[in-house]
Amino acid sequence: MRGGTLAAGLVLVLATACAGQTPPRARPGGASAAAPAVCAPPKGGAPPGAERPTTIDVVGQAYRCVLARYYGAATLDHRTLLTAGFAAFVTELNRAGRDLPEAAMPALTGDRTADWAAFEAAYRRVIDRLPRDDALRARLAAATLEAIVAALGDDHARWEHGTPRPPGAYDGDQYGLGLTASARPADAPGTALPPLFVTAVPGGPARAAGVRPGDVVESVDGSAPFVGTQVTPAVVAALHPRYPQAAPVRLRLLRPDTGRRRTVTLKPRLFQPDPDTLPVVAAGLLAGDVAHVRMSGFAPDSADRVLRAIARLRTGRTLAGVVLDLRGNGGGSPGEVNRLLGGFAHGAVTAYQCAADGSCETMRTDDTVPLVGLPLVVLTDRGCASACEHFSAAVKDLRLGRLVGTRTAGAVSGPAQPYALGDNTVLAFPSRHHLAPGREVIDRVGVPPDVHVPLTPRDAAAGRDPALAAALNLLHP
């Protein structure tokens, strides 16, 4: 359907598609095809078949899916989504050297269905003027859809598509420069503070080049990571390339303990990280009587693994407490959170998952888990996100222990629900939003620690862990 004709037919298509029907769509030359169904979960957890090129029909399906199922849809101004999508569309046109006078944003009235009809008609007018280049058309639709999802501004909304796996990759392999830094691409604006420094070197090109924790990154490809106190997102992103990005990255480094400056060039590649960085759960004994358990994610069975580790360390000795290290824990299953919290409290609300109409599902501790009965200190940082923040907020609100370190990521809008799209990709976003046990919002805010202990470059260079030292002091007053 093109050229702005049959607008009334488009309105009917959109209305019936949102109700789960798929009426025929008129096509140039008399062809007819069914519009994709809206908001169907992937069968078996994954879309069937190989990924197909994205089209404007798929963009429309995603748009309707968001308006039908997203928790904030009732108050969402759909015009921000459409404007972002069209802006990305024309940007991609310009990159391809194909900008056209017809590529103008249509006037939007505030009616969700009519505005999509106008958007699609304008989009198709441009496509009709382009040469028959299927790859370009797929890139244009993909850029449009990516921008619409990004315009939600939701840390749990994503479009899963076109993620190639590096050749020869095995489970546990990583791709990139082989370092982590004090600022991450996912950090919210204003949360990263100078200086930018290396916090860990799990392997790969960085280790081969002699990069060490504590090295201050003064520039990346000639650009400063901070302008004043404002981080430069593109510089931080350059430290975390994703396959198939393969361009070398040039770092200017300062070693704070010696004052030595040097330049290294790292080329992203596949590498096997240090085995010590791989386990989801790792445990040891500190000061002879403190269980220290590192947990990198709330993966299946991780809660039981933590509890078993504590029980093993407790055998034959009296423990003064538990330090649960959640720094860098990117989240995972809310069920695992509730199970692990069940080891420290029973009969408690751990969070609420709330719909747009104000109705909330109450999440509770798993009371089948025996209580640990030991003092708890939890280490947090900006890498603690999503389910990790669910856990941290519950510990704080329910007074189950003390939080030590730095504020969490503030990336816990709600559990993402997947929906299959017509090109065999997956759109995911929350249908409910997360509230902490005190019904406070922690998304975009984060959970503040009870004891603020940031890591410095000199600490990292010397192998010191001030947050862990503070935790031990709390357990050994």
mmCIF file of all heavy atoms in Angstrom, residues 155 181-193 196 226 231-233 236-237 240 381-385 407-411 444:
data_model
loop_
_atom_site.group_PDB
_atom_site.id
_atom_site.type_symbol
_atom_site.label_atom_id
_atom_site.label_comp_id
_atom_site.label_asym_id
_atom_site.label_seq_id
_atom_site.Cartn_x
_atom_site.Cartn_y
_atom_site.Cartn_z
ATOM 1 N N ASP A 155 15.649 0.345 29.488
ATOM 2 C CA ASP A 155 16.851 -0.483 29.523
ATOM 3 C C ASP A 155 16.571 -1.962 29.295
ATOM 4 O O ASP A 155 17.496 -2.742 29.092
ATOM 5 C CB ASP A 155 17.575 -0.299 30.861
ATOM 6 C CG ASP A 155 16.642 -0.404 32.060
ATOM 7 O OD1 ASP A 155 16.155 -1.517 32.338
ATOM 8 O OD2 ASP A 155 16.390 0.629 32.702
ATOM 9 N N ALA A 181 36.490 -1.637 32.018
ATOM 10 C CA ALA A 181 36.881 -0.309 32.462
ATOM 11 C C ALA A 181 35.899 0.234 33.477
ATOM 12 O O ALA A 181 34.813 -0.335 33.699
ATOM 13 C CB ALA A 181 36.992 0.641 31.266
ATOM 14 N N SER A 182 36.256 1.345 34.096
ATOM 15 C CA SER A 182 35.441 1.936 35.153
ATOM 16 C C SER A 182 34.160 2.551 34.632
ATOM 17 O O SER A 182 33.246 2.839 35.409
ATOM 18 C CB SER A 182 36.249 2.991 35.908
ATOM 19 O OG SER A 182 36.744 3.982 35.014
ATOM 20 N N ALA A 183 34.058 2.772 33.341
ATOM 21 C CA ALA A 183 32.812 3.218 32.709
ATOM 22 C C ALA A 183 32.413 2.189 31.665
ATOM 23 O O ALA A 183 33.263 1.624 30.979
ATOM 24 C CB ALA A 183 32.977 4.592 32.064
ATOM 25 N N ARG A 184 31.111 1.961 31.555
ATOM 26 C CA ARG A 184 30.589 0.967 30.615
ATOM 27 C C ARG A 184 29.654 1.637 29.623
ATOM 28 O O ARG A 184 29.023 2.649 29.943
ATOM 29 C CB ARG A 184 29.825 -0.129 31.370
ATOM 30 C CG ARG A 184 30.654 -0.887 32.392
ATOM 31 C CD ARG A 184 29.762 -1.806 33.221
ATOM 32 N NE ARG A 184 30.517 -2.651 34.132
ATOM 33 C CZ ARG A 184 30.928 -2.275 35.335
ATOM 34 N NH1 ARG A 184 30.632 -1.045 35.779
ATOM 35 N NH2 ARG A 184 31.610 -3.091 36.102
ATOM 36 N N PRO A 185 29.503 1.066 28.412
ATOM 37 C CA PRO A 185 28.593 1.677 27.428
ATOM 38 C C PRO A 185 27.166 1.818 27.940
ATOM 39 O O PRO A 185 26.456 2.731 27.538
ATOM 40 C CB PRO A 185 28.661 0.695 26.245
ATOM 41 C CG PRO A 185 29.989 0.040 26.365
ATOM 42 C CD PRO A 185 30.239 -0.082 27.849
ATOM 43 N N ALA A 186 26.745 0.927 28.832
ATOM 44 C CA ALA A 186 25.361 0.966 29.316
ATOM 45 C C ALA A 186 25.158 1.963 30.450
ATOM 46 O O ALA A 186 24.022 2.165 30.890
ATOM 47 C CB ALA A 186 24.938 -0.426 29.787
ATOM 48 N N ASP A 187 26.224 2.601 30.932
ATOM 49 C CA ASP A 187 26.070 3.537 32.041
ATOM 50 C C ASP A 187 25.174 4.705 31.656
ATOM 51 O O ASP A 187 25.277 5.244 30.543
ATOM 52 C CB ASP A 187 27.432 4.084 32.474
ATOM 53 C CG ASP A 187 28.246 3.063 33.255
ATOM 54 O OD1 ASP A 187 27.664 2.046 33.668
ATOM 55 O OD2 ASP A 187 29.453 3.295 33.442
ATOM 56 N N ALA A 188 24.307 5.098 32.575
ATOM 57 C CA ALA A 188 23.441 6.258 32.337
ATOM 58 C C ALA A 188 24.277 7.529 32.321
ATOM 59 O O ALA A 188 25.319 7.608 32.976
ATOM 60 C CB ALA A 188 22.372 6.332 33.420
ATOM 61 N N PRO A 189 23.834 8.560 31.570
ATOM 62 C CA PRO A 189 24.570 9.822 31.536
ATOM 63 C C PRO A 189 24.756 10.394 32.940
ATOM 64 O O PRO A 189 23.839 10.401 33.755
ATOM 65 C CB PRO A 189 23.677 10.729 30.677
ATOM 66 C CG PRO A 189 22.875 9.794 29.834
ATOM 67 C CD PRO A 189 22.653 8.579 30.695
ATOM 68 N N GLY A 190 25.968 10.854 33.210
ATOM 69 C CA GLY A 190 26.240 11.473 34.494
ATOM 70 C C GLY A 190 26.697 10.520 35.577
ATOM 71 O O GLY A 190 27.104 10.958 36.650
ATOM 72 N N THR A 191 26.654 9.189 35.311
ATOM 73 C CA THR A 191 27.053 8.246 36.353
ATOM 74 C C THR A 191 28.547 7.949 36.313
ATOM 75 O O THR A 191 29.130 7.628 37.349
ATOM 76 C CB THR A 191 26.277 6.929 36.222
ATOM 77 O OG1 THR A 191 26.540 6.340 34.943
ATOM 78 C CG2 THR A 191 24.783 7.169 36.362
ATOM 79 N N ALA A 192 29.151 8.020 35.142
ATOM 80 C CA ALA A 192 30.588 7.749 35.024
ATOM 81 C C ALA A 192 31.369 8.997 35.410
ATOM 82 O O ALA A 192 31.058 10.107 34.976
ATOM 83 C CB ALA A 192 30.933 7.329 33.602
ATOM 84 N N LEU A 193 32.404 8.809 36.222
ATOM 85 C CA LEU A 193 33.221 9.917 36.693
ATOM 86 C C LEU A 193 34.671 9.707 36.270
ATOM 87 O O LEU A 193 35.155 8.570 36.216
ATOM 88 C CB LEU A 193 33.144 10.028 38.213
ATOM 89 C CG LEU A 193 31.755 10.306 38.813
ATOM 90 C CD1 LEU A 193 31.820 10.248 40.329
ATOM 91 C CD2 LEU A 193 31.228 11.657 38.344
ATOM 92 N N LEU A 196 38.861 7.584 33.568
ATOM 93 C CA LEU A 196 38.526 6.274 33.026
ATOM 94 C C LEU A 196 39.742 5.375 33.233
ATOM 95 O O LEU A 196 40.849 5.732 32.835
ATOM 96 C CB LEU A 196 38.192 6.388 31.544
ATOM 97 C CG LEU A 196 37.875 5.083 30.808
ATOM 98 C CD1 LEU A 196 36.571 4.499 31.319
ATOM 99 C CD2 LEU A 196 37.801 5.312 29.305
ATOM 100 N N PHE A 226 36.752 11.905 28.714
ATOM 101 C CA PHE A 226 35.922 12.877 29.419
ATOM 102 C C PHE A 226 36.215 14.270 28.898
ATOM 103 O O PHE A 226 37.357 14.603 28.580
ATOM 104 C CB PHE A 226 36.190 12.848 30.936
ATOM 105 C CG PHE A 226 35.612 11.663 31.645
ATOM 106 C CD1 PHE A 226 36.329 10.477 31.745
ATOM 107 C CD2 PHE A 226 34.352 11.728 32.218
ATOM 108 C CE1 PHE A 226 35.797 9.386 32.398
ATOM 109 C CE2 PHE A 226 33.811 10.631 32.876
ATOM 110 C CZ PHE A 226 34.536 9.455 32.965
ATOM 111 N N VAL A 231 31.338 12.257 30.425
ATOM 112 C CA VAL A 231 31.919 11.157 29.678
ATOM 113 C C VAL A 231 31.579 11.271 28.203
ATOM 114 O O VAL A 231 30.525 11.815 27.822
ATOM 115 C CB VAL A 231 31.424 9.804 30.244
ATOM 116 C CG1 VAL A 231 29.955 9.567 29.901
ATOM 117 C CG2 VAL A 231 32.281 8.653 29.758
ATOM 118 N N THR A 232 32.475 10.778 27.356
ATOM 119 C CA THR A 232 32.240 10.715 25.913
ATOM 120 C C THR A 232 31.796 9.292 25.575
ATOM 121 O O THR A 232 32.621 8.375 25.554
ATOM 122 C CB THR A 232 33.521 11.068 25.135
ATOM 123 O OG1 THR A 232 34.017 12.330 25.590
ATOM 124 C CG2 THR A 232 33.245 11.131 23.641
ATOM 125 N N PRO A 233 30.495 9.075 25.334
ATOM 126 C CA PRO A 233 30.005 7.699 25.156
ATOM 127 C C PRO A 233 30.702 6.932 24.043
ATOM 128 O O PRO A 233 30.952 5.727 24.181
ATOM 129 C CB PRO A 233 28.514 7.907 24.847
ATOM 130 C CG PRO A 233 28.168 9.215 25.491
ATOM 131 C CD PRO A 233 29.391 10.059 25.331
ATOM 132 N N VAL A 236 33.939 5.382 25.290
ATOM 133 C CA VAL A 236 33.707 4.209 26.140
ATOM 134 C C VAL A 236 33.275 3.022 25.287
ATOM 135 O O VAL A 236 33.735 1.894 25.484
ATOM 136 C CB VAL A 236 32.662 4.523 27.216
ATOM 137 C CG1 VAL A 236 32.337 3.281 28.037
ATOM 138 C CG2 VAL A 236 33.166 5.635 28.132
ATOM 139 N N ALA A 237 32.412 3.274 24.316
ATOM 140 C CA ALA A 237 31.935 2.187 23.449
ATOM 141 C C ALA A 237 33.082 1.562 22.662
ATOM 142 O O ALA A 237 33.071 0.351 22.396
ATOM 143 C CB ALA A 237 30.863 2.703 22.497
ATOM 144 N N HIS A 240 34.708 -1.474 24.017
ATOM 145 C CA HIS A 240 33.906 -2.693 24.108
ATOM 146 C C HIS A 240 33.354 -3.067 22.725
ATOM 147 O O HIS A 240 32.139 -3.132 22.519
ATOM 148 C CB HIS A 240 32.758 -2.486 25.100
ATOM 149 C CG HIS A 240 33.224 -2.108 26.471
ATOM 150 N ND1 HIS A 240 33.517 -0.815 26.829
ATOM 151 C CD2 HIS A 240 33.454 -2.875 27.571
ATOM 152 C CE1 HIS A 240 33.908 -0.798 28.098
ATOM 153 N NE2 HIS A 240 33.876 -2.017 28.564
ATOM 154 N N ASP A 381 28.098 -2.387 42.677
ATOM 155 C CA ASP A 381 28.715 -1.335 41.872
ATOM 156 C C ASP A 381 27.801 -1.042 40.694
ATOM 157 O O ASP A 381 26.682 -1.562 40.616
ATOM 158 C CB ASP A 381 30.119 -1.729 41.404
ATOM 159 C CG ASP A 381 30.132 -2.908 40.424
ATOM 160 O OD1 ASP A 381 29.039 -3.459 40.116
ATOM 161 O OD2 ASP A 381 31.216 -3.296 39.972
ATOM 162 N N ARG A 382 28.269 -0.200 39.763
ATOM 163 C CA ARG A 382 27.456 0.162 38.599
ATOM 164 C C ARG A 382 27.247 -1.007 37.644
ATOM 165 O O ARG A 382 26.405 -0.950 36.749
ATOM 166 C CB ARG A 382 28.095 1.336 37.848
ATOM 167 C CG ARG A 382 27.783 2.689 38.482
ATOM 168 C CD ARG A 382 26.347 3.081 38.240
ATOM 169 N NE ARG A 382 25.991 4.332 38.895
ATOM 170 C CZ ARG A 382 24.786 4.869 38.874
ATOM 171 N NH1 ARG A 382 23.795 4.254 38.255
ATOM 172 N NH2 ARG A 382 24.541 6.004 39.479
ATOM 173 N N GLY A 383 27.992 -2.077 37.826
ATOM 174 C CA GLY A 383 27.776 -3.268 37.007
ATOM 175 C C GLY A 383 26.684 -4.172 37.529
ATOM 176 O O GLY A 383 26.313 -5.149 36.880
ATOM 177 N N CYS A 384 26.147 -3.868 38.706
ATOM 178 C CA CYS A 384 25.035 -4.640 39.285
ATOM 179 C C CYS A 384 23.737 -4.115 38.677
ATOM 180 O O CYS A 384 23.340 -2.980 38.949
ATOM 181 C CB CYS A 384 25.047 -4.484 40.804
ATOM 182 S SG CYS A 384 23.619 -5.180 41.658
ATOM 183 N N ALA A 385 23.089 -4.924 37.852
ATOM 184 C CA ALA A 385 21.928 -4.455 37.095
ATOM 185 C C ALA A 385 20.801 -5.466 37.130
ATOM 186 O O ALA A 385 21.000 -6.651 37.417
ATOM 187 C CB ALA A 385 22.331 -4.178 35.641
ATOM 188 N N ARG A 407 26.725 2.816 43.958
ATOM 189 C CA ARG A 407 25.330 2.682 43.519
ATOM 190 C C ARG A 407 25.213 1.691 42.359
ATOM 191 O O ARG A 407 26.097 1.587 41.518
ATOM 192 C CB ARG A 407 24.809 4.058 43.095
ATOM 193 C CG ARG A 407 23.327 4.104 42.743
ATOM 194 C CD ARG A 407 22.932 5.510 42.343
ATOM 195 N NE ARG A 407 23.011 6.441 43.474
ATOM 196 C CZ ARG A 407 22.002 6.732 44.281
ATOM 197 N NH1 ARG A 407 20.808 6.176 44.085
ATOM 198 N NH2 ARG A 407 22.169 7.583 45.282
ATOM 199 N N THR A 408 24.098 0.986 42.330
ATOM 200 C CA THR A 408 23.856 0.035 41.246
ATOM 201 C C THR A 408 23.477 0.761 39.949
ATOM 202 O O THR A 408 23.351 1.981 39.911
ATOM 203 C CB THR A 408 22.750 -0.960 41.638
ATOM 204 O OG1 THR A 408 21.524 -0.242 41.810
ATOM 205 C CG2 THR A 408 23.100 -1.692 42.928
ATOM 206 N N ALA A 409 23.275 -0.016 38.887
ATOM 207 C CA ALA A 409 23.164 0.548 37.535
ATOM 208 C C ALA A 409 21.897 1.365 37.300
ATOM 209 O O ALA A 409 21.888 2.258 36.449
ATOM 210 C CB ALA A 409 23.236 -0.578 36.505
ATOM 211 N N GLY A 410 20.806 1.057 37.990
ATOM 212 C CA GLY A 410 19.543 1.713 37.670
ATOM 213 C C GLY A 410 18.974 1.210 36.355
ATOM 214 O O GLY A 410 18.447 1.974 35.558
ATOM 215 N N ALA A 411 19.101 -0.098 36.125
ATOM 216 C CA ALA A 411 18.627 -0.711 34.886
ATOM 217 C C ALA A 411 17.697 -1.864 35.222
ATOM 218 O O ALA A 411 18.025 -3.033 35.042
ATOM 219 C CB ALA A 411 19.807 -1.202 34.044
ATOM 220 N N ARG A 444 16.577 3.615 36.596
ATOM 221 C CA ARG A 444 17.229 4.889 36.286
ATOM 222 C C ARG A 444 17.826 5.556 37.527
ATOM 223 O O ARG A 444 18.575 6.514 37.403
ATOM 224 C CB ARG A 444 16.266 5.877 35.602
ATOM 225 C CG ARG A 444 15.598 5.335 34.343
ATOM 226 C CD ARG A 444 14.571 6.323 33.830
ATOM 227 N NE ARG A 444 13.758 5.751 32.782
ATOM 228 C CZ ARG A 444 13.988 5.895 31.486
ATOM 229 N NH1 ARG A 444 15.031 6.603 31.091
ATOM 230 N NH2 ARG A 444 13.191 5.349 30.587
#
